């Protein structure tokens, strides 16, 4: 593993960030630490009592019984071996139930705390994703963000349930057990731990090997999620171009990497656990040899064998838990990259008018999606309240970018954009977007009913309002023909509806909010002529008194625009009415000639 990765894994500032989410659950955290200490103290109790019990069976041996044992067995007569053994046995049975209950509380509390932190963190991550600039979604695969929101955050749960606190509990139990062994017989303790350096070396190499493979696994999981999500979404395209075999080959390669990483970790486990057993056997053998050679007590032998098992038992899993902790920290680093992403939509504006008139002005606006590669260059335009302006130009000329900037989906690099003479940056984001209705060319519908997709599950919008809007556009009859009418389930992305039907639904959705500004981005591009005539009639009625921005390749939809703006490579080339631009004989006139005089439709 590189030094860079190591540094990040042991970055205590990152651990502090994680534990900020523990703040609401402080008492559960402190209680889990108390329980960890209690369990550690409990660890050497039973072996010590077993040693006393065995020693007590030898009448010739004087056995010193500590005061706490007298208290534990309710001051039973210890001079009688039988009474003592029965009392200690009863206590051990009760003690086992108490220890089991405490261990249950510890396990449940750490897991509960981990799941609570995961819930809170996932909420914050998703809220952050909702507020990110669209640029982040342009450059980050959806599957990667899905991995951050689900898989990586779930790994953070392991920091609590299988990582930090359980490691502390195991280390405490080892320390207390070793202290007890040294208290009983420090020489015997040192002799029995002679093979221990082998265990330390094996643990180190196991930790390093498994951690590297876990990093590979995590990267492979992210790659698998991104690949599967992307290809399921684009399955129609994959099948249309008969690319199933080629894409399946790519999937098998990614999946093979995931398998290889897991097998490498499995190999490390397969080597490490037998090594632990061998070291334990060596320690036990040395212990038996030493005690037998010097004719020490049988109780001492049995208790030390039990102590060694209590040391090696957590050591078997502590390296694995440490890897779990490391992977949780790596996952936390990725999650905090999302939480600390500064490329989010700024919402500092406080201007919240009850109603906007709809006067729009772009003043020398420059915009680039990436660095200095400007897609809009020195754009200046103005739309008076109630006017309809049209944007025309080849694909990639900057039409959609202009309306995206008006909605503050992206931030401009230079210039200003104003609505009613107020910079849009000064508006509350909800107030700004609530004043603008948008119908996009690429319509997205969520899983759910037609009604849910029209209202976006807004409880303030009644079914009567939806029906009235649908009738106004002439779509009500089409919806009622669907099975279940407005309750018809459109499935994911609206796949059970045609593209034209999806656009009609999105058109209702935009108009239902009664916006002051209406944006139509190729809104009629996928609708047949009859549907277009219905929508055009509705548009003529609805744009009255509203500022409208229309992007269309079909010039028939923009003939009545107050002004038509012709864009080319991010710059304004022509501005005027339909008649003025046709008379000008420039770009617009050529496009008009292609569509109406030569009857060549433009897609």
């Amino acid at each position: 593993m590189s030094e860079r990765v190591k540094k990040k894994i042991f970055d205590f500032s990152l651990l502090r960030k994680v534990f900020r989410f523990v703040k609401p659950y402080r008492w559960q955290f402190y209680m889990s630490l108390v329980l960890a200490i209690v369990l550690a103290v409990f660890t050497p109790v039973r072996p010590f009592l077993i040693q006393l019990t065995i020693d007590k069976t030898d009448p010739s041996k004087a056995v010193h019984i500590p005061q706490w044992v007298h208290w534990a067995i309710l001051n039973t007569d210890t001079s009688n071996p039988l009474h003592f053994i029965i009392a200690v046995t009863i206590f051990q049975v009760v003690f086992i139930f108490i220890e089991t209950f405490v261990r249950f509380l510890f396990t449940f509390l750490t897991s509960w705390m981990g799941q609570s932190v995961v819930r809170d963190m996932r909420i914050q991550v998703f809220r952050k994703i909702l507020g990110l600039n669209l640029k982040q979604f342009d450059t980050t695969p959806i599957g990667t963000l899905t991995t951050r929101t689900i898989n990586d955050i779930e790994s953070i749960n392991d920091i609590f349930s299988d990582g930090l606190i359980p490691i502390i509990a195991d280390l405490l139990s080892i320390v207390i057990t070793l202290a007890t062994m040294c208290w009983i017989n420090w020489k015997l303790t040192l002799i029995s731990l002679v093979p221990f350096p082998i265990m330390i070396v094996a643990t180190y190499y196991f930790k390093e090997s498994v951690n590297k493979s876990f990093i590979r696994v995590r990267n492979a999981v992210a790659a698998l999620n991104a690949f599967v999500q992307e290809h399921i979404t684009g399955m129609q395209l994959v099948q249309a171009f008969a690319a199933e075999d080629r894409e399946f080959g790519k999937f098998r390669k990614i999946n093979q990497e995931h398998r290889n990483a897991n097998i490498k970790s499995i190999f490390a486990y397969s080597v490490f656990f037998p090594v632990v057993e061998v070291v334990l056997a060596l320690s036990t053998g040395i212990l038996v040899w030493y005690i037998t050679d010097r004719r020490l007590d049988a109780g001492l032998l049995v208790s030390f064998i039990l102590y060694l098992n209590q040391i090696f038992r957590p050591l078997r899993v502590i390296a694995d838990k440490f890897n779990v902790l490391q992977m949780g920290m790596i996952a936390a680093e990725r999650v905090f990259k999302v939480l600390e992403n500064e490329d989010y939509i700024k919402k500092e504006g406080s201007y919240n008018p009850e109603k906007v008139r709809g006067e729009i002005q772009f003043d020398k606006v420059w915009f680039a999606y990436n660095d200095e590669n400007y897609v809009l260059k020195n754009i200046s335009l103005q739309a008076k309240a109630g006017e309809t302006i049209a944007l025309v130009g080849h694909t990639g000329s900057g039409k959609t970018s202009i309306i995206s900037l008006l909605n503050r989906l992206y931030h401009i690099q230079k210039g200003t954009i104003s609505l009613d003479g107020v910079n849009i940056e000064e508006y509350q984001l909800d107030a700004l977007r609530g004043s603008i209705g948008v119908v996009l060319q690429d319509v997205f519908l969520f899983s759910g009913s037609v009604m849910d997709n029209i209202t976006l599950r807004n409880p303030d919008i009644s079914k009567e309002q939806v029906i009235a809007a649908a009738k106004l556009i002439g779509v009500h009859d089409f919806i009622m023909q669907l099975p279940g009418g407005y309750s018809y389930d459109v499935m994911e992305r609206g796949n059970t509806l045609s593209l034209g039907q999806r656009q009609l639904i999105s058109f209702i959705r935009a108009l239902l909010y009664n916006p002051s500004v209406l944006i139509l981005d190729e809104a009629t591009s996928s609708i047949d002529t009859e549907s277009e005539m219905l929508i055009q009639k509705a548009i003529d009625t609805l744009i009255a008194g509203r500022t409208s921005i229309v992007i269309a390749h079909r010039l028939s939809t923009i003939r009545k625009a107050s002004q038509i703006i012709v864009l080319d490579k991010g710059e304004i080339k022509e501005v005027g009415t339909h008649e003025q631009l046709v008379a000008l004989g420039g770009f617009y006139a050529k496009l008009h000639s292609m569509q109406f005089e030569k009857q060549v439709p433009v897609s």
Side-chain angles (χ1 to χ4, degrees):
M1 193 193 322
S2 68
E3 290 300 319
R4 185 186 67 83
V5 175
K6 283 186 178 181
K7 182 180 178 181
K8 297 235 175 175
I9 291 172
F10 296 100
D11 188 351
F12 287 100
S13 64
L14 182 61
L15 192 61
R16 284 196 296 270
K17 291 177 184 177
V18 174
F19 271 83
R20 286 175 193 160
F21 287 87
V22 182
K23 202 170 183 181
Y25 315 105
R26 283 190 300 268
W27 78 265
Q28 288 94 339
F29 176 72
Y30 295 140
M31 181 60 68
S32 65
L33 290 179
V34 170
L35 292 175
I37 295 171
V38 171
L39 287 172
V41 172
F42 281 1
T43 302
V45 170
R46 282 189 289 145
F48 181 72
L49 292 176
I50 291 172
Q51 178 185 351
L52 291 179
T53 303
I54 295 174
D55 289 345
K56 197 67 178 176
T57 59
D58 184 358
S60 63
K61 181 176 176 59
V63 181
H64 172 68
I65 301 174
Q67 184 59 43
W68 69 267
V69 176
H70 284 284
W71 174 84
I73 61 176
L74 304 177
N75 293 315
T76 301
D77 181 15
T78 57
S79 62
N80 187 318
L82 181 60
H83 290 173
F84 176 78
I85 293 171
I86 291 173
V88 168
T89 303
I90 292 173
F91 172 76
Q92 290 219 58
V93 171
V94 175
F95 183 78
I96 288 172
F97 280 104
I98 294 174
E99 185 180 17
T100 301
F101 179 71
V102 173
R103 195 169 297 279
F104 158 75
L105 284 179
F106 175 75
T107 303
F108 177 80
L109 199 57
T110 52
S111 298
W112 181 91
M113 184 168 56
Q115 288 298 329
S116 298
V117 169
V118 162
R119 177 199 60 195
D120 297 346
M121 189 172 287
R122 189 170 282 135
I123 288 172
Q124 284 207 22
V125 168
F126 191 69
R127 183 184 290 120
K128 183 73 175 189
I129 289 174
L130 287 176
L132 288 176
N133 273 326
L134 286 186
K135 178 182 177 182
Q136 295 297 315
F137 303 98
D138 296 337
T139 57
T140 306
I142 295 174
T144 299
L145 289 175
T146 303
T147 302
R148 299 290 177 269
T149 310
I150 300 175
N151 301 72
D152 284 339
I153 292 182
E154 196 61 40
S155 294
I156 295 174
N157 168 56
D158 296 335
I159 293 178
F160 302 95
S161 61
D162 294 313
L164 184 64
I165 301 176
I167 286 174
I168 292 173
D170 288 340
L171 289 175
L172 282 173
S173 67
I174 291 172
V175 169
I176 291 179
T177 301
L178 283 172
T180 304
M181 292 171 69
C182 291
W183 172 68
I184 294 172
N185 192 320
W186 66 271
K187 289 183 179 179
L188 190 59
T189 301
L190 294 178
I191 292 296
S192 61
L193 294 179
V194 166
F196 203 70
I198 300 175
M199 181 70 184
I200 295 175
V201 173
T203 301
Y204 173 78
Y205 282 106
F206 168 75
K207 176 182 69 67
E208 292 295 303
S209 177
V210 171
N211 190 57
K212 288 178 183 178
S213 62
F214 275 4
I215 292 174
R216 286 179 60 190
V217 169
R218 184 62 59 192
N219 291 334
V221 167
L224 277 172
N225 282 343
F227 187 89
V228 171
Q229 189 279 332
E230 185 179 56
H231 283 71
I232 289 177
T233 303
M235 189 57 67
Q236 182 178 359
L237 188 64
V238 172
Q239 293 181 354
F241 284 87
E244 295 93 335
D245 292 341
R246 183 171 63 254
E247 298 306 312
F248 181 68
K250 295 178 183 177
F251 173 81
R252 289 187 63 178
K253 186 175 180 181
I254 298 173
N255 198 40
Q256 181 72 14
E257 167 62 18
H258 183 267
R259 169 190 174 275
N260 292 343
N262 275 295
I263 286 180
K264 188 173 181 180
S265 67
I266 291 169
F267 177 79
Y269 280 99
S270 301
V271 172
F272 177 71
F273 288 125
V275 168
V276 175
E277 296 298 328
V278 169
V279 174
L280 175 59
L282 286 173
S283 295
T284 305
I286 292 173
L287 178 67
V288 172
W289 166 78
Y290 185 84
I291 289 180
T292 304
D293 187 57
R294 286 159 182 74
R295 298 182 181 180
L296 297 176
D297 299 332
L300 190 63
L301 172 62
V302 172
S303 65
F304 263 67
I305 290 174
L306 293 174
Y307 287 137
L308 285 176
N309 276 279
Q310 287 183 333
I311 291 173
F312 280 89
R313 183 180 62 194
L315 282 176
R316 289 187 186 100
V317 295
I318 202 166
D320 188 30
K321 288 180 179 178
F322 189 74
N323 281 317
V324 168
L325 174 61
Q326 288 179 322
M327 292 313 301
M329 295 299 291
I330 292 170
E333 179 190 8
R334 293 171 174 173
V335 169
F336 279 105
K337 281 184 179 178
V338 177
L339 287 174
E340 295 171 356
N341 191 329
E342 294 299 321
D343 191 17
Y344 57 87
I345 301 166
K346 306 297 188 297
K347 299 185 178 182
E348 291 86 352
S350 59
Y351 187 57
N352 184 16
E354 186 173 336
K355 186 75 174 176
V356 300
R357 300 188 311 277
E359 183 178 333
I360 300 169
Q361 183 170 4
F362 281 61
D363 184 19
K364 299 178 181 178
V365 171
W366 292 71
F367 169 68
Y369 291 101
N370 296 301
D371 302 326
E372 299 296 319
N373 299 319
Y374 287 104
V375 295
L376 293 179
K377 306 167 186 175
N378 199 32
I379 297 295
S380 294
L381 60 88
Q382 183 173 8
K384 296 179 181 178
E387 274 191 347
T388 297
I389 66 171
L391 303 178
V392 176
H394 290 301
T395 300
S397 59
K399 305 184 298 296
T400 302
S401 297
I402 287 177
I403 62 172
S404 296
L405 296 179
L406 181 60
N407 250 330
R408 276 178 59 190
L409 297 176
Y410 298 91
H411 292 290
I412 61 177
Q413 280 77 21
K414 302 176 187 178
T416 57
I417 303 174
S418 302
L419 179 62
D420 288 354
V422 179
N423 193 319
I424 60 171
E425 299 288 339
E426 298 179 16
Y427 278 80
Q428 286 187 7
L429 195 59
D430 291 344
L432 175 68
R433 292 179 178 173
S435 302
I436 302 172
V438 182
V439 178
L440 298 174
Q441 180 182 15
D442 184 15
V443 178
F444 186 94
L445 297 183
F446 295 94
S447 298
S449 67
V450 171
M451 180 66 69
D452 289 341
N453 273 281
I454 292 174
T455 64
L456 296 179
R457 295 185 174 89
N458 186 341
D460 297 330
I461 300 176
S462 67
K463 186 174 182 178
E464 290 73 22
Q465 290 174 291
V466 173
I467 292 174
K471 286 181 177 179
L472 185 62
I473 302 172
V475 185
H476 176 70
D477 292 339
F478 138 67
I479 294 176
M480 294 307 296
Q481 290 172 4
L482 298 171
Y486 287 89
S487 299
Y488 177 69
D489 190 352
V490 302
M491 306 299 286
E492 187 176 5
R493 299 182 66 87
N495 286 332
T496 56
L497 300 176
S498 70
L499 186 56
Q501 290 171 330
R502 296 202 296 269
Q503 282 196 311
L504 289 169
I505 289 176
S506 72
F507 198 75
I508 305 172
R509 181 165 63 191
L511 299 180
L512 191 62
Y513 282 82
N514 191 27
S516 299
V517 178
L518 187 64
I519 296 175
L520 306 177
D521 184 2
E522 305 285 1
T524 60
S525 62
S526 301
I527 298 175
D528 56 51
T529 304
E530 182 180 354
S531 299
E532 183 182 351
M533 291 175 64
L534 291 172
I535 288 181
Q536 192 61 51
K537 183 178 179 181
I539 289 174
D540 291 342
T541 303
L542 291 166
I543 63 176
R546 285 188 176 87
T547 306
S548 301
I549 301 177
V550 180
I551 298 176
H553 280 150
R554 294 185 183 182
L555 301 188
S556 59
T557 62
I558 59 173
R559 279 176 173 267
K560 298 177 183 179
S562 304
Q563 59 175 317
I564 298 171
I565 299 172
V566 181
L567 295 164
D568 184 42
K569 298 179 180 179
E571 298 179 278
I572 295 178
K573 297 298 184 182
E574 297 175 1
V575 179
T577 63
H578 170 75
E579 292 76 12
Q580 290 172 339
L581 294 178
V582 170
L584 186 63
F587 178 89
Y588 182 84
K590 292 178 182 177
L591 190 60
H592 179 269
S593 176
M594 290 174 62
Q595 287 197 22
F596 295 100
E597 295 179 13
K598 298 184 180 180
Q599 296 297 312
V600 179
V602 178
S603 60

